[in-house]
Amino acid sequence: MISGIIGLFAILFLATIGLLAFIFWIWMLIDAIQNRSLSGTEKIVWVLVIIFLHFLGALIYFFAGRSNRR
């Protein structure tokens, strides 16, 4: 009984983390598309990085690519 409850909480926790990671990924993808400080080629490269590297690409863009936006 207790292991079932712990398992349920673990599944809910992991599902929440996954949902937050997906929302962050979508946010960074939209931000890269709308970032006016990037040239056309830079924008395409960042969008491809985010799409193909998923969450890691979104993190890279968050720390390296968004710094151009002011």
Side-chain angles (χ1 to χ4, degrees), residues 45-64:
V45 168
W46 276 118
V47 168
L48 290 175
V49 166
I50 293 169
I51 288 173
F52 288 119
L53 294 180
H54 303 285
F55 183 71
L56 181 61
L59 278 176
I60 293 168
Y61 174 73
F62 182 78
F63 289 111

Side-chain angles (χ1 to χ4, degrees), residues 19-51:
L19 180 62
L20 291 174
F22 178 71
I23 290 170
F24 177 73
W25 182 79
I26 293 292
W27 175 34
M28 290 299 102
L29 186 61
I30 291 170
D31 189 78
I33 292 168
Q34 294 179 345
N35 191 342
R36 292 186 179 150
S37 66
L38 296 175
S39 70
T41 305
E42 289 175 322
K43 194 176 289 195
I44 291 170
V45 168
W46 276 118
V47 168
L48 290 175
V49 166
I50 293 169
I51 288 173

